[in-house]
Amino acid sequence: MKDEKYYVSYNTVHNLVKGLAQKLIDSSFNPDVIVAIGSGGFIPARIMKTFINRPIYAVGISYYGVDKKHKNYPTKIQWIDEVQEQIRGKKVLLIDEVDDTRATLAYCVGELLKYKPEEIAVLVLQNKLKEKDVNFPPEIKRYYPAQEIGDLWIKYPWDADDIEEHTKLEKAMLERQASRSK
Ligand code: G4P
Ligand code: MG
């Protein structure tokens, strides 16, 4: 169902990030810095800091310019000129909430690679299993999606108006899923 929604609560976000932190440790990837893609990557990145305690740099990339006009390509709305040196030669953990078309993520990776990091790993809460508009360049050897889901619209807690209702909707969704898989 295309208009089906996939609800994610704050507790789920926290637990997904905790699981990803463990995966980083298990795969011996020890990042020097976190780069968060705003705004969706901000809260996951902050939770990750709780587990791996690395500095966070924030970048803003959007399909919508600051003038809110839709564009067909991602553009930088905030960038990290002054921290270029923080990226050079470093292991970077790039965090966003969702890998949808991959356009924003791949663009951001391309820009960060210009600063010659030692490595960039990409981490997202959800990867939508669908045909992507672009691929990651071969420099991306580590990709950590916490969940792989279909092409559904994800409802994140930070977009909720009524967080109690949002949390209940997630619970109902998980119960439906559990009864279907019985
Ligand atoms: P990608 O590289 O991560 O796949 O992102 P893509 O350019 O395809 O996404 C365009 C915008 O749509 C992004 O927002 C992304 O977060 C948002 N988006 C895509 N799928 C979903 C979804 O299922 N649920 C929600 N809530 N958002 C989705 P953005 O321009 O980065 O804005 P922001 O919300 O991060 O500030
Ligand atoms: Mg985003």
Side-chain angles (χ1 to χ4, degrees), residues 138-167:
E139 286 91 343
I140 300 301
K141 305 267 195 294
R142 296 175 193 267
Y143 175 60
Y144 303 92
Q147 293 184 316
E148 311 259 21
I149 67 165
D151 193 5
L152 306 172
W153 186 256
I154 305 163
K155 301 282 274 183
Y156 288 103
W158 44 83
D159 287 323
D161 177 40
D162 181 340
I163 194 64
E164 308 298 343
E165 181 64 16
H166 182 97
T167 310

CSV table of all heavy atoms in Angstrom, one decimal, residues 138-167:
chain,number,residue,atom,x,y,z
A,138,PRO,N,32.5,4.6,-5.2
A,138,PRO,CA,33.2,3.4,-4.7
A,138,PRO,C,33.9,3.7,-3.4
A,138,PRO,O,34.3,2.7,-2.6
A,138,PRO,CB,34.1,3.1,-5.8
A,138,PRO,CG,34.2,4.2,-6.7
A,138,PRO,CD,32.9,5.0,-6.5
A,139,GLU,N,34.2,4.9,-3.0
A,139,GLU,CA,34.9,5.3,-1.8
A,139,GLU,C,34.1,4.8,-0.5
A,139,GLU,O,34.6,4.7,0.6
A,139,GLU,CB,35.2,6.8,-1.7
A,139,GLU,CG,36.3,7.3,-2.6
A,139,GLU,CD,35.8,7.7,-3.9
A,139,GLU,OE1,34.6,7.4,-4.3
A,139,GLU,OE2,36.5,8.4,-4.6
A,140,ILE,N,32.7,4.7,-0.7
A,140,ILE,CA,31.9,4.3,0.4
A,140,ILE,C,31.9,2.8,0.6
A,140,ILE,O,31.3,2.1,-0.2
A,140,ILE,CB,30.4,4.8,0.2
A,140,ILE,CG1,30.4,6.3,0.1
A,140,ILE,CG2,29.5,4.4,1.4
A,140,ILE,CD1,31.0,7.1,1.3
A,141,LYS,N,32.7,2.4,1.6
A,141,LYS,CA,32.8,0.9,1.8
A,141,LYS,C,31.9,0.4,3.0
A,141,LYS,O,31.7,-0.8,3.1
A,141,LYS,CB,34.3,0.6,2.1
A,141,LYS,CG,35.3,1.1,1.1
A,141,LYS,CD,35.6,0.0,0.1
A,141,LYS,CE,36.8,0.4,-0.7
A,141,LYS,NZ,36.7,1.5,-1.6
A,142,ARG,N,31.5,1.4,3.8
A,142,ARG,CA,30.7,1.0,4.9
A,142,ARG,C,29.4,1.7,4.9
A,142,ARG,O,29.4,3.0,4.9
A,142,ARG,CB,31.4,1.4,6.2
A,142,ARG,CG,32.7,0.6,6.4
A,142,ARG,CD,33.4,1.1,7.7
A,142,ARG,NE,34.8,0.7,7.8
A,142,ARG,CZ,35.1,-0.4,8.5
A,142,ARG,NH1,34.2,-1.2,9.1
A,142,ARG,NH2,36.4,-0.7,8.5
A,143,TYR,N,28.3,1.0,5.0
A,143,TYR,CA,27.0,1.5,4.9
A,143,TYR,C,26.2,0.8,6.0
A,143,TYR,O,26.1,-0.4,6.0
A,143,TYR,CB,26.4,1.3,3.5
A,143,TYR,CG,25.0,1.7,3.4
A,143,TYR,CD1,24.6,3.0,3.6
A,143,TYR,CD2,24.0,0.8,3.0
A,143,TYR,CE1,23.2,3.4,3.5
A,143,TYR,CE2,22.6,1.2,2.9
A,143,TYR,CZ,22.3,2.5,3.1
A,143,TYR,OH,21.0,2.9,3.0
A,144,TYR,N,25.6,1.6,6.9
A,144,TYR,CA,24.9,1.0,8.1
A,144,TYR,C,23.5,1.5,8.1
A,144,TYR,O,23.2,2.5,8.7
A,144,TYR,CB,25.6,1.4,9.4
A,144,TYR,CG,27.0,1.0,9.5
A,144,TYR,CD1,28.0,1.9,9.1
A,144,TYR,CD2,27.4,-0.2,10.0
A,144,TYR,CE1,29.4,1.6,9.3
A,144,TYR,CE2,28.8,-0.5,10.2
A,144,TYR,CZ,29.7,0.4,9.8
A,144,TYR,OH,31.1,0.1,9.9
A,145,PRO,N,22.5,0.8,7.5
A,145,PRO,CA,21.1,1.1,7.7
A,145,PRO,C,20.6,0.3,8.9
A,145,PRO,O,20.8,-0.9,9.0
A,145,PRO,CB,20.4,0.7,6.4
A,145,PRO,CG,21.3,-0.4,5.9
A,145,PRO,CD,22.7,-0.3,6.5
A,146,ALA,N,19.9,1.0,9.8
A,146,ALA,CA,19.4,0.2,11.0
A,146,ALA,C,18.2,-0.7,10.5
A,146,ALA,O,18.0,-1.8,11.0
A,146,ALA,CB,18.9,1.1,12.1
A,147,GLN,N,17.4,-0.2,9.6
A,147,GLN,CA,16.3,-1.0,9.1
A,147,GLN,C,16.2,-0.8,7.6
A,147,GLN,O,16.5,0.2,7.0
A,147,GLN,CB,15.0,-0.4,9.7
A,147,GLN,CG,14.8,-0.6,11.2
A,147,GLN,CD,13.5,-0.2,11.7
A,147,GLN,OE1,13.0,0.9,11.3
A,147,GLN,NE2,12.8,-1.0,12.5
A,148,GLU,N,15.7,-1.9,6.9
A,148,GLU,CA,15.4,-1.8,5.5
A,148,GLU,C,13.9,-2.0,5.4
A,148,GLU,O,13.4,-3.0,5.9
A,148,GLU,CB,16.1,-3.0,4.8
A,148,GLU,CG,17.6,-3.2,5.1
A,148,GLU,CD,18.5,-2.7,4.0
A,148,GLU,OE1,18.1,-1.8,3.2
A,148,GLU,OE2,19.7,-3.1,4.0
A,149,ILE,N,13.3,-1.0,4.8
A,149,ILE,CA,11.8,-1.1,4.7
A,149,ILE,C,11.4,-0.9,3.2
A,149,ILE,O,12.2,-0.5,2.4
A,149,ILE,CB,11.1,-0.1,5.6
A,149,ILE,CG1,11.4,1.3,5.1
A,149,ILE,CG2,11.5,-0.3,7.0
A,149,ILE,CD1,10.5,2.4,5.7
A,150,GLY,N,10.1,-1.1,2.9
A,150,GLY,CA,9.6,-0.8,1.6
A,150,GLY,C,9.4,0.7,1.3
A,150,GLY,O,9.9,1.5,2.2
A,151,ASP,N,8.8,1.0,0.2
A,151,ASP,CA,8.7,2.4,-0.1
A,151,ASP,C,7.5,3.1,0.5
A,151,ASP,O,6.5,3.4,-0.1
A,151,ASP,CB,8.6,2.5,-1.7
A,151,ASP,CG,8.9,3.9,-2.1
A,151,ASP,OD1,9.2,4.8,-1.3
A,151,ASP,OD2,8.7,4.2,-3.4
A,152,LEU,N,7.6,3.2,1.9
A,152,LEU,CA,6.5,3.8,2.6
A,152,LEU,C,6.9,5.2,3.1
A,152,LEU,O,8.1,5.5,3.1
A,152,LEU,CB,6.3,2.9,3.9
A,152,LEU,CG,6.0,1.4,3.7
A,152,LEU,CD1,6.0,0.7,5.1
A,152,LEU,CD2,4.7,1.2,3.0
A,153,TRP,N,5.9,6.0,3.5
A,153,TRP,CA,6.3,7.3,4.0
A,153,TRP,C,6.5,7.1,5.5
A,153,TRP,O,5.6,6.7,6.3
A,153,TRP,CB,5.2,8.3,3.7
A,153,TRP,CG,5.6,9.7,4.2
A,153,TRP,CD1,5.2,10.3,5.3
A,153,TRP,CD2,6.6,10.5,3.6
A,153,TRP,NE1,5.9,11.5,5.4
A,153,TRP,CE2,6.7,11.7,4.4
A,153,TRP,CE3,7.4,10.4,2.4
A,153,TRP,CZ2,7.6,12.7,4.1
A,153,TRP,CZ3,8.3,11.4,2.1
A,153,TRP,CH2,8.4,12.5,3.0
A,154,ILE,N,7.7,7.5,6.0
A,154,ILE,CA,8.0,7.3,7.4
A,154,ILE,C,7.6,8.5,8.2
A,154,ILE,O,7.9,9.7,7.8
A,154,ILE,CB,9.5,7.1,7.5
A,154,ILE,CG1,10.0,5.9,6.7
A,154,ILE,CG2,9.9,6.9,9.0
A,154,ILE,CD1,11.5,5.8,6.4
A,155,LYS,N,6.9,8.3,9.3
A,155,LYS,CA,6.5,9.4,10.2
A,155,LYS,C,7.5,9.4,11.4
A,155,LYS,O,7.5,8.5,12.2
A,155,LYS,CB,5.1,9.2,10.7
A,155,LYS,CG,4.0,9.1,9.6
A,155,LYS,CD,3.7,10.4,9.0
A,155,LYS,CE,2.6,11.1,9.8
A,155,LYS,NZ,2.2,12.4,9.2
A,156,TYR,N,8.3,10.4,11.4
A,156,TYR,CA,9.3,10.6,12.5
A,156,TYR,C,8.7,11.3,13.7
A,156,TYR,O,7.9,12.2,13.5
A,156,TYR,CB,10.6,11.3,11.9
A,156,TYR,CG,11.4,10.4,11.0
A,156,TYR,CD1,11.3,10.6,9.6
A,156,TYR,CD2,12.1,9.3,11.5
A,156,TYR,CE1,12.0,9.7,8.8
A,156,TYR,CE2,12.8,8.5,10.7
A,156,TYR,CZ,12.8,8.7,9.3
A,156,TYR,OH,13.4,7.8,8.5
A,157,PRO,N,9.2,11.0,14.9
A,157,PRO,CA,8.6,11.7,16.0
A,157,PRO,C,8.7,13.2,16.1
A,157,PRO,O,7.9,13.9,16.6
A,157,PRO,CB,9.3,11.0,17.2
A,157,PRO,CG,10.6,10.4,16.6
A,157,PRO,CD,10.3,10.1,15.2
A,158,TRP,N,9.9,13.7,15.5
A,158,TRP,CA,10.1,15.1,15.6
A,158,TRP,C,9.1,15.9,14.7
A,158,TRP,O,9.1,17.1,14.7
A,158,TRP,CB,11.6,15.5,15.2
A,158,TRP,CG,12.1,14.7,14.1
A,158,TRP,CD1,12.0,15.0,12.7
A,158,TRP,CD2,12.9,13.5,14.1
A,158,TRP,NE1,12.7,14.1,12.0
A,158,TRP,CE2,13.3,13.2,12.8
A,158,TRP,CE3,13.4,12.7,15.1
A,158,TRP,CZ2,14.1,12.1,12.5
A,158,TRP,CZ3,14.2,11.6,14.8
A,158,TRP,CH2,14.5,11.3,13.5
A,159,ASP,N,8.4,15.2,13.8
A,159,ASP,CA,7.4,15.9,12.9
A,159,ASP,C,6.0,15.8,13.6
A,159,ASP,O,5.1,16.4,13.0
A,159,ASP,CB,7.3,15.2,11.5
A,159,ASP,CG,8.5,15.6,10.7
A,159,ASP,OD1,9.0,16.7,10.8
A,159,ASP,OD2,9.0,14.7,9.9
A,160,ALA,N,5.9,15.1,14.7
A,160,ALA,CA,4.6,14.8,15.3
A,160,ALA,C,4.0,16.1,15.9
A,160,ALA,O,4.8,16.8,16.6
A,160,ALA,CB,4.6,13.7,16.3
A,161,ASP,N,2.7,16.3,15.8
A,161,ASP,CA,2.1,17.4,16.5
A,161,ASP,C,1.7,16.9,17.9
A,161,ASP,O,2.0,17.5,18.9
A,161,ASP,CB,0.9,17.8,15.7
A,161,ASP,CG,0.1,18.9,16.5
A,161,ASP,OD1,0.8,19.8,17.1
A,161,ASP,OD2,-1.1,18.9,16.5
A,162,ASP,N,1.1,15.7,17.9
A,162,ASP,CA,0.7,15.0,19.2
A,162,ASP,C,1.6,13.8,19.4
A,162,ASP,O,1.4,12.8,18.8
A,162,ASP,CB,-0.8,14.7,19.1
A,162,ASP,CG,-1.3,14.0,20.4
A,162,ASP,OD1,-0.5,13.5,21.2
A,162,ASP,OD2,-2.5,14.0,20.6
A,163,ILE,N,2.6,13.9,20.2
A,163,ILE,CA,3.6,12.8,20.4
A,163,ILE,C,3.0,11.6,21.0
A,163,ILE,O,3.4,10.5,20.7
A,163,ILE,CB,4.9,13.3,21.1
A,163,ILE,CG1,6.0,12.3,20.9
A,163,ILE,CG2,4.6,13.6,22.6
A,163,ILE,CD1,6.5,12.1,19.5
A,164,GLU,N,2.0,11.8,21.9
A,164,GLU,CA,1.4,10.6,22.5
A,164,GLU,C,0.6,9.8,21.5
A,164,GLU,O,0.7,8.6,21.4
A,164,GLU,CB,0.4,11.0,23.7
A,164,GLU,CG,1.0,11.9,24.7
A,164,GLU,CD,2.1,11.3,25.5
A,164,GLU,OE1,2.3,10.1,25.5
A,164,GLU,OE2,2.9,12.1,26.1
A,165,GLU,N,-0.1,10.5,20.6
A,165,GLU,CA,-0.9,9.9,19.5
A,165,GLU,C,0.1,9.2,18.6
A,165,GLU,O,-0.1,8.0,18.2
A,165,GLU,CB,-1.7,11.0,18.8
A,165,GLU,CG,-2.5,10.5,17.7
A,165,GLU,CD,-3.6,9.5,18.1
A,165,GLU,OE1,-3.9,9.5,19.3
A,165,GLU,OE2,-4.2,8.8,17.2
A,166,HIS,N,1.2,9.8,18.3
A,166,HIS,CA,2.2,9.3,17.4
A,166,HIS,C,2.8,7.9,17.9
A,166,HIS,O,2.9,6.9,17.2
A,166,HIS,CB,3.4,10.3,17.2
A,166,HIS,CG,4.5,9.8,16.3
A,166,HIS,ND1,4.5,10.2,15.0
A,166,HIS,CD2,5.5,9.0,16.5
A,166,HIS,CE1,5.6,9.7,14.4
A,166,HIS,NE2,6.2,9.0,15.3
A,167,THR,N,3.1,7.9,19.2
A,167,THR,CA,3.6,6.8,19.9
A,167,THR,C,2.6,5.6,19.8
A,167,THR,O,2.9,4.4,19.6
A,167,THR,CB,4.0,7.1,21.3
A,167,THR,OG1,4.8,8.3,21.3
A,167,THR,CG2,4.8,6.0,22.0
